[in-house]
Structure formats: structure tokens, C-alpha cells
Amino acid sequence: MLFDLRSGARRRTVKVVYLGLALLMFVGFVGFSIGSSGLSGGIVDAITGNGNSGGGDTAVVDRLSAQVTTADAKAKAAPSDPVAWAALAQARLRLANVGDNLDPATGAYTASGNRQLAAAGTAWDKYLALNPPKPDESLARQMANAYLTVGNADKAVTAQEVVTEVDPTQQTFSNLAIFAYQAGQTRKGDLASTKAVELAPAADKKDLKTQLDSAKTQALTQQLQQAAPSATPTIGG
């Protein structure tokens, strides 16, 4: 499933991999302001459990639930309208981060939260399928955030590509490179990395390339470790 994190082992793996990714983005690249791709706050809070959205009051949940109901009805009434599907995806994302959809103690999405995220992903896919003339950059950033939070790097890449189309900057291409490397899309990561370095100020090009090369190496190392077969324990002497 797209947003299925019910496995405890997978949740731990996602936390390790994507907290490392978040640190790369928000610490290693702080000198380049790469975190300005719109992912700050949400992904870190969701991974570390520092967010305060979970357990929100009933009035907020009721209001956002009503917005989802309204947006869903509008999208079904006008299935060829990309704006309607974008509004539904946005409403689902907001609802996923309040009330019982988010565990305030762990920062993890609950089963109901994952259902809202999955529904947001479906609405987002329908939005993109309609080829909007000018994709919603803000929504694309939020979808990249959501996909990263639940460990779906492939979908995060797709969302970040939309961001780079609308906002082709050093920062957005740097993030695209990192996401692509994490998704195992090395060729796409290399192309995005090259573009990011090309757009960087002359004084920053060398350091940025070093940082992105490091992100690539770390991602490849993780993928090799995950692909390696587990050692079979020896029984007896």
C-alpha cells in the first residue's frame, strides 16, 4: 500500500532513513538554503514526534472533516476539473494531521491518518493526470513532504519534479537530486545534481557538488545494505 506503515520494523527503517535525509537537507545544506523547498517543519516533526497537530480539539477536526466532505463532493461533481482534485488533496492532507489521525506521543500517523494520506495521494494523482497548465507548487511541496514522511521516495520524486518545473532553482533541484538518490533513481539524481550545481553561485558550486555526491554515496550504500542477504546463523559446532 502507498502509505502503509503498520509494520513496526518499516516505521523504524523509515525513521532512520528519512531522519538522515532530513539532516542532510536541513543541516548539511544549511549554507545553501536547500531546505527552502517547502519541506521544513512538517517532515522533521512527523519523523521525530515533535509536531503538535495530533490530538487537536474536536472543533478543528469537525471543520476539516467538513472541508473534506465538501471538496470530495465537488471533485466527484466535476471530475475533469484539476482545481477540484487539488482542493481535495489539500483538504485530506490537513485532516491527516489533526485529531486521532496523528499520534501526538510518537508523531506517527495512525491507521485513519494513513487512510487520509492515501486518499490525498489518489486525489493528487488525478490532479496530475488532468495536466493542469500551471501545477500547484505549494501542493506539490506538501505532497513531497507527505510522501517522504511515509517513506515513499518514488512518489516524493514525482512531486518534487513538479516543484522544479514551477520553481527551477538551485534549492529545488538539490532536493530533487537527494530524493531521486533515495529512490534509487541514480540517473535522475545525477541530472538534478548537475542542474543544481549549474544554478549555484560560483563560490558555492564545489561545496554543493561535494554535498550532493555524499548524498548519492550514502543512498547507494543504504540500498546495497538493504539488498544484501542476511547471514544464516550456524547451528551447533
Side-chain angles (χ1 to χ4, degrees), residues 114-153:
N114 278 319
R115 285 194 294 272
Q116 290 298 331
L117 290 175
T122 298
W124 167 251
D125 287 341
K126 290 184 177 181
Y127 168 72
L128 290 183
L130 292 170
N131 295 313
K134 185 178 180 181
D136 187 326
E137 178 192 354
S138 175
L139 179 58
R141 294 175 190 273
Q142 292 174 65
M143 289 306 303
N145 186 341
Y147 285 127
L148 284 173
T149 300
V150 297
N152 193 325

Side-chain angles (χ1 to χ4, degrees), residues 169-186:
T169 65
Q170 166 206 322
Q171 291 91 340
T172 59
F173 275 104
S174 294
N175 279 337
L176 176 57
I178 295 172
F179 301 165
Y181 289 142
Q182 286 291 329
Q185 300 179 29
T186 305

